[in-house]
Amino acid sequence: MNIIQIQQSEMLQALNKSEVDIRISTAKQYPRHLPDVLNKIATRCGNGRPPMKICGVRY
């Protein structure tokens, strides 16, 4: 049986890198365009009323 020893700092670096990689891949998979996001919020929350105030969104 082979036992692999990993330095604690190397392990933390690997974990941080994997977390960043996951965030980047998610951001690329679901890109955001601010005007589109605000429009979706306004459409879904509005129902004819001032939508941004209803949803508590400030910009």
Side-chain angles (χ1 to χ4, degrees), residues 14-33:
L15 285 172
N16 287 336
K17 184 181 181 321
S18 68
E19 289 174 358
V20 170
D21 289 346
I22 289 170
R23 289 176 188 228
I24 290 171
S25 66
T26 301
K28 287 181 179 179
Q29 187 176 3
Y30 302 102
R32 289 184 272 175
H33 183 247

Side-chain angles (χ1 to χ4, degrees), residues 36-56:
D36 291 342
V37 171
L38 292 175
N39 186 35
K40 286 180 183 178
I41 291 171
T43 302
R44 292 180 183 163
C45 296
N47 295 333
R49 296 170 284 177
M52 296 306 194
K53 290 184 179 180
I54 294 168
C55 294

Side-chain angles (χ1 to χ4, degrees), residues 2-6:
N2 292 337
I3 298 175
I4 300 173
Q5 290 184 335
I6 300 175

